[in-house]
Protein backbone atom coordinates (compact mmCIF):
# COMPACT_ATOMS: atom_id res chain seq x y z
CA UNK A 1 0.00 0.00 0.00
CA UNK A 2 1.44 3.42 -0.94
CA UNK A 3 1.80 6.35 1.45
CA UNK A 4 -1.18 8.29 0.08
CA UNK A 5 -3.49 5.31 0.51
CA UNK A 6 -2.25 4.70 4.04
CA UNK A 7 -2.79 8.33 5.01
CA UNK A 8 -6.31 8.21 3.58
CA UNK A 9 -7.06 4.94 5.36
CA UNK A 10 -5.90 6.46 8.64
CA UNK A 11 -8.19 9.44 7.95
CA UNK A 12 -5.26 11.84 7.87
CA UNK A 13 -6.92 13.82 5.12
CA UNK A 14 -4.90 17.01 5.52
CA UNK A 15 -1.66 15.08 5.31
CA UNK A 16 -2.97 13.03 2.39
CA UNK A 17 -3.85 16.09 0.30
CA UNK A 18 -0.55 17.79 1.05
CA UNK A 19 1.45 14.64 0.27
CA UNK A 20 -0.39 14.33 -3.05
CA UNK A 21 0.44 17.97 -3.86
CA UNK A 22 4.10 17.39 -3.00
CA UNK A 23 4.20 14.39 -5.33
CA UNK A 24 2.51 16.27 -8.17
CA UNK A 25 4.96 19.18 -7.91
CA UNK A 26 7.90 16.87 -7.16
CA UNK A 27 8.69 19.00 -4.11
CA UNK A 28 9.01 15.95 -1.86
CA UNK A 29 12.55 15.47 -3.18
CA UNK A 30 13.51 18.97 -2.04
CA UNK A 31 12.47 18.55 1.60
CA UNK A 32 14.36 16.92 4.43
CA UNK A 33 12.53 14.30 6.48
CA UNK A 34 12.09 16.81 9.31
CA UNK A 35 10.81 19.60 7.04
CA UNK A 36 8.51 17.24 5.15
CA UNK A 37 7.04 15.80 8.33
CA UNK A 38 6.56 19.29 9.75
CA UNK A 39 4.71 20.38 6.62
CA UNK A 40 2.44 17.32 6.70
CA UNK A 41 1.65 17.71 10.41
CA UNK A 42 0.84 21.39 9.96
CA UNK A 43 -1.50 20.52 7.10
CA UNK A 44 -3.28 17.95 9.26
CA UNK A 45 -3.64 20.37 12.16
CA UNK A 46 -5.10 23.02 9.84
CA UNK A 47 -7.50 20.49 8.33
CA UNK A 48 -8.78 19.34 11.72
CA UNK A 49 -9.20 22.90 12.99
CA UNK A 50 -11.18 23.78 9.87
CA UNK A 51 -13.42 20.71 10.20
CA UNK A 52 -14.07 21.43 13.87
CA UNK A 53 -14.90 25.05 13.08
CA UNK A 54 -17.38 23.95 10.39
CA UNK A 55 -18.97 21.42 12.75
CA UNK A 56 -19.27 23.93 15.61
CA UNK A 57 -20.85 26.52 13.27
CA UNK A 58 -23.36 24.00 11.94
CA UNK A 59 -24.36 22.85 15.43
CA UNK A 60 -24.71 26.42 16.71
CA UNK A 61 -27.46 27.28 14.16
CA UNK A 62 -26.63 30.96 13.91
CA UNK A 63 -29.17 33.44 12.63
CA UNK A 64 -26.58 35.15 10.44
CA UNK A 65 -23.29 34.17 8.84
CA UNK A 66 -21.27 36.98 10.37
CA UNK A 67 -17.72 37.75 11.42
CA UNK A 68 -15.98 40.30 13.63
CA UNK A 69 -14.25 41.68 10.52
CA UNK A 70 -17.65 42.59 9.00
CA UNK A 71 -18.71 44.74 11.94
CA UNK A 72 -18.76 48.50 11.39
CA UNK A 73 -17.04 49.96 14.44
CA UNK A 74 -19.05 53.17 14.48
CA UNK A 75 -18.88 54.78 17.94
CA UNK A 76 -21.98 56.87 17.18
CA UNK A 77 -23.94 53.62 16.90
CA UNK A 78 -22.66 52.34 20.24
CA UNK A 79 -19.97 50.08 18.76
CA UNK A 80 -16.98 50.45 21.09
CA UNK A 81 -14.03 49.15 19.06
CA UNK A 82 -11.84 48.50 22.10
CA UNK A 83 -14.60 46.51 23.83
CA UNK A 84 -15.42 44.44 20.73
CA UNK A 85 -11.71 43.77 20.18
CA UNK A 86 -11.41 42.63 23.78
CA UNK A 87 -14.46 40.37 23.50
CA UNK A 88 -13.07 38.89 20.29
CA UNK A 89 -10.24 37.33 22.30
CA UNK A 90 -12.81 35.03 23.91
CA UNK A 91 -11.59 35.75 27.43
CA UNK A 92 -15.16 36.42 28.58
CA UNK A 93 -16.05 32.84 27.58
CA UNK A 94 -13.20 31.38 29.60
CA UNK A 95 -14.40 33.44 32.58
CA UNK A 96 -18.09 32.55 32.11
CA UNK A 97 -19.17 36.17 31.75
CA UNK A 98 -22.26 37.66 30.11
CA UNK A 99 -22.85 40.19 27.34
CA UNK A 100 -26.12 42.11 27.13
CA UNK A 101 -26.90 43.70 23.76
CA UNK A 102 -29.84 46.10 23.45
CA UNK A 103 -31.11 48.39 20.72
CA UNK A 104 -34.04 49.13 18.46
CA UNK A 105 -35.12 46.80 15.65
CA UNK A 106 -32.60 46.70 12.80
CA UNK A 107 -29.63 48.18 14.66
CA UNK A 108 -27.60 44.99 14.27
CA UNK A 109 -28.03 43.17 17.60
CA UNK A 110 -28.45 39.70 16.09
CA UNK A 111 -25.62 40.29 13.62
CA UNK A 112 -23.27 41.31 16.43
CA UNK A 113 -24.31 38.32 18.55
CA UNK A 114 -23.77 36.01 15.56
CA UNK A 115 -20.35 37.53 14.86
CA UNK A 116 -19.26 36.94 18.46
CA UNK A 117 -20.63 33.41 18.22
CA UNK A 118 -18.70 32.66 15.03
CA UNK A 119 -15.56 34.02 16.64
CA UNK A 120 -16.12 31.65 19.58
CA UNK A 121 -16.47 28.70 17.18
CA UNK A 122 -13.20 29.68 15.49
CA UNK A 123 -11.59 29.48 18.93
CA UNK A 124 -12.95 25.97 19.44
CA UNK A 125 -15.84 26.76 21.79
CA UNK A 126 -19.24 25.06 21.66
CA UNK A 127 -21.94 27.62 20.92
CA UNK A 128 -25.75 27.36 20.96
CA UNK A 129 -27.87 30.11 19.36
CA UNK A 130 -31.61 30.39 20.13
CA UNK A 131 -34.50 32.76 19.72
CA UNK A 132 -35.66 32.92 23.35
CA UNK A 133 -39.32 32.16 22.61
CA UNK A 134 -38.36 29.11 20.53
CA UNK A 135 -36.01 27.97 23.27
CA UNK A 136 -38.72 28.20 25.92
CA UNK A 137 -41.12 26.34 23.61
CA UNK A 138 -38.49 23.64 23.22
CA UNK A 139 -38.11 23.31 26.98
CA UNK A 140 -41.91 23.01 27.27
CA UNK A 141 -42.04 20.25 24.65
CA UNK A 142 -39.06 18.44 26.17
CA UNK A 143 -40.84 18.48 29.53
CA UNK A 144 -43.85 16.82 27.90
CA UNK A 145 -41.81 14.07 26.22
CA UNK A 146 -39.58 13.52 29.24
CA UNK A 147 -36.31 14.79 27.75
CA UNK A 148 -36.11 18.09 29.64
CA UNK A 149 -33.13 17.07 31.81
CA UNK A 150 -31.19 15.93 28.76
CA UNK A 151 -31.98 19.19 26.96
CA UNK A 152 -31.04 21.36 29.94
CA UNK A 153 -27.79 19.43 30.26
CA UNK A 154 -27.06 20.11 26.60
CA UNK A 155 -27.55 23.85 27.18
CA UNK A 156 -25.29 23.75 30.22
CA UNK A 157 -22.49 22.14 28.20
CA UNK A 158 -22.46 24.97 25.64
CA UNK A 159 -19.48 27.22 26.35
CA UNK A 160 -21.49 30.12 24.95
CA UNK A 161 -25.29 30.36 24.89
CA UNK A 162 -26.81 33.15 22.77
CA UNK A 163 -30.41 34.11 23.55
CA UNK A 164 -31.81 36.38 20.85
CA UNK A 165 -35.03 38.43 20.79
CA UNK A 166 -35.45 38.56 24.56
CA UNK A 167 -38.55 40.46 25.63
CA UNK A 168 -40.81 40.03 22.60
CA UNK A 169 -43.54 38.87 24.98
CA UNK A 170 -44.06 38.62 28.72
CA UNK A 171 -43.07 35.32 30.28
CA UNK A 172 -45.45 32.79 31.79
CA UNK A 173 -44.65 31.22 35.15
CA UNK A 174 -43.07 28.03 33.78
CA UNK A 175 -41.08 30.07 31.26
CA UNK A 176 -39.72 32.20 34.09
CA UNK A 177 -38.70 29.08 36.00
CA UNK A 178 -37.02 27.58 32.92
CA UNK A 179 -35.13 30.79 32.17
CA UNK A 180 -34.09 31.03 35.81
CA UNK A 181 -32.75 27.46 35.71
CA UNK A 182 -30.81 28.13 32.49
CA UNK A 183 -29.24 31.32 33.86
CA UNK A 184 -28.53 29.73 37.24
CA UNK A 185 -26.75 26.77 35.64
CA UNK A 186 -24.50 29.11 33.68
CA UNK A 187 -23.84 31.78 36.29
CA UNK A 188 -20.09 32.43 36.66
CA UNK A 189 -19.26 29.17 34.88
CA UNK A 190 -20.35 29.53 31.23
CA UNK A 191 -20.80 32.58 29.00
CA UNK A 192 -24.17 33.94 27.88
CA UNK A 193 -25.15 36.61 25.36
CA UNK A 194 -28.66 38.10 25.51
CA UNK A 195 -29.92 40.38 22.74
CA UNK A 196 -33.08 42.46 23.12
CA UNK A 197 -34.80 45.39 21.47
CA UNK A 198 -35.85 46.54 24.93
CA UNK A 199 -33.61 48.65 27.17
CA UNK A 200 -32.23 46.61 30.05
CA UNK A 201 -34.25 48.69 32.52
CA UNK A 202 -37.43 47.17 31.02
CA UNK A 203 -36.34 43.54 31.40
CA UNK A 204 -37.69 43.36 34.95
CA UNK A 205 -41.26 43.96 33.72
CA UNK A 206 -40.93 41.39 30.92
CA UNK A 207 -39.92 38.64 33.33
CA UNK A 208 -42.88 39.62 35.45
CA UNK A 209 -42.60 37.87 38.82
CA UNK A 210 -40.66 39.93 41.35
CA UNK A 211 -38.63 37.22 43.08
CA UNK A 212 -37.59 35.43 39.89
CA UNK A 213 -36.89 38.70 38.07
CA UNK A 214 -34.62 39.79 40.91
CA UNK A 215 -32.77 36.46 40.84
CA UNK A 216 -32.28 36.43 37.05
CA UNK A 217 -31.22 40.05 36.72
CA UNK A 218 -28.96 39.85 39.76
CA UNK A 219 -27.00 37.10 38.00
CA UNK A 220 -26.94 38.83 34.62
CA UNK A 221 -26.94 42.60 34.84
CA UNK A 222 -24.43 43.56 37.50
CA UNK A 223 -21.44 41.61 36.20
CA UNK A 224 -22.01 41.82 32.44
CA UNK A 225 -20.63 43.70 29.46
CA UNK A 226 -23.29 45.99 28.03
CA UNK A 227 -23.60 47.10 24.43
CA UNK A 228 -26.41 49.53 23.55
CA UNK A 229 -26.74 49.93 19.79
CA UNK A 230 -28.18 53.19 18.47
CA UNK A 231 -29.18 54.86 15.25
CA UNK A 232 -31.69 54.12 12.52
CA UNK A 233 -32.31 50.66 11.18
CA UNK A 234 -29.51 49.27 9.04
CA UNK A 235 -32.15 47.39 7.05
CA UNK A 236 -33.61 50.70 5.83
CA UNK A 237 -30.19 51.77 4.55
CA UNK A 238 -30.04 48.66 2.37
Amino acid sequence: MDIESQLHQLRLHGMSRTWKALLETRRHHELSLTDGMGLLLQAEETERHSKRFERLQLNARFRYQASIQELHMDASRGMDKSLITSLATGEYIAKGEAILISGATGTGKSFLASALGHQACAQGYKVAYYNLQKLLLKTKMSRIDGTVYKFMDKLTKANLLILDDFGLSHLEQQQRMDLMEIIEDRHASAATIIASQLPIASWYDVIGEETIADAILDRMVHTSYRIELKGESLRKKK
Side-chain angles (χ1 to χ4, degrees), residues 99-115:
I99 302 173
L100 309 182
I101 305 172
S102 60
T105 300
T107 50
K109 302 179 299 298
S110 299
F111 194 88
L112 173 57
S114 296

Side-chain angles (χ1 to χ4, degrees), residues 198-226:
L198 297 176
I200 295 173
S202 301
W203 290 14
Y204 191 97
D205 294 331
V206 172
I207 298 171
E209 203 280 323
E210 183 176 342
T211 304
I212 298 177
D214 280 337
I216 292 174
L217 295 179
D218 182 62
R219 287 159 176 75
M220 294 298 299
V221 173
H222 304 304
T223 58
S224 61
Y225 297 96
R226 299 195 198 183

Side-chain angles (χ1 to χ4, degrees), residues 1 7 24 31 56-57 60 66 70 77 91 105 127 139 145 147 157 164 167 175 177 184 197 199 203 208 212 217 224:
M1 185 180 293
L7 291 174
E24 290 175 347
L31 299 172
L56 289 171
Q57 281 194 105
E70 293 176 272
R77 292 188 50 245
E91 187 176 353
T105 300
V127 182
T139 59
D145 64 23
T147 61
K157 289 179 179 177
D164 200 1
Q175 291 177 323
M177 297 300 294
E184 176 67 27
Q197 61 182 311
W203 290 14
I212 298 177
L217 295 179
S224 61

Side-chain angles (χ1 to χ4, degrees), residues 40-194:
L40 292 172
L41 290 173
Q42 180 61 51
E44 185 62 32
E45 182 180 3
T46 301
E47 170 80 6
R48 294 192 180 194
H49 183 274
S50 177
K51 289 293 185 184
R52 176 171 172 76
F53 178 46
E54 291 174 6
R55 186 169 64 254
L56 289 171
Q57 281 194 105
L58 184 64
N59 291 338
R61 300 178 182 276
F62 291 112
R63 184 169 181 176
Y64 295 107
Q65 294 297 316
S67 68
I68 297 295
Q69 292 73 25
E70 293 176 272
L71 297 174
H72 298 292
M73 302 298 182
D74 186 347
S76 67
R77 292 188 50 245
M79 293 288 283
D80 184 333
K81 184 176 182 179
S82 62
L83 174 58
I84 301 300
T85 301
S86 175
L87 294 175
T89 66
E91 187 176 353
Y92 75 98
I93 302 176
K95 292 181 177 180
E97 295 174 328
I99 302 173
L100 309 182
I101 305 172
S102 60
T105 300
T107 50
K109 302 179 299 298
S110 299
F111 194 88
L112 173 57
S114 296
L116 290 170
H118 278 86
Q119 182 73 2
C121 288
Q123 294 162 337
Y125 291 112
K126 293 181 181 178
V127 182
Y129 189 108
Y130 287 95
N131 167 284
L132 181 62
Q133 290 303 315
K134 291 181 179 178
L135 172 62
L136 295 176
L137 177 60
K138 194 169 181 64
T139 59
K140 179 179 180 179
M141 298 307 295
S142 65
R143 184 170 281 103
I144 292 172
D145 64 23
T147 61
V148 65
Y149 295 111
K150 182 179 180 180
F151 180 62
M152 288 294 193
D153 186 57
K154 178 183 176 182
L155 293 179
T156 302
K157 289 179 179 177
N159 302 118
L160 172 61
L161 175 64
I162 301 176
L163 302 177
D164 200 1
D165 292 325
F166 174 85
L168 291 184
S169 63
H170 287 74
L171 302 182
E172 300 172 358
Q173 180 61 17
Q174 187 59 59
Q175 291 177 323
R176 296 185 195 111
M177 297 300 294
D178 288 341
L179 181 59
M180 176 64 210
E181 182 176 346
I182 291 168
I183 298 301
E184 176 67 27
D185 286 345
R186 306 186 64 76
H187 180 55
S189 62
T192 307
I193 296 177
I194 298 181

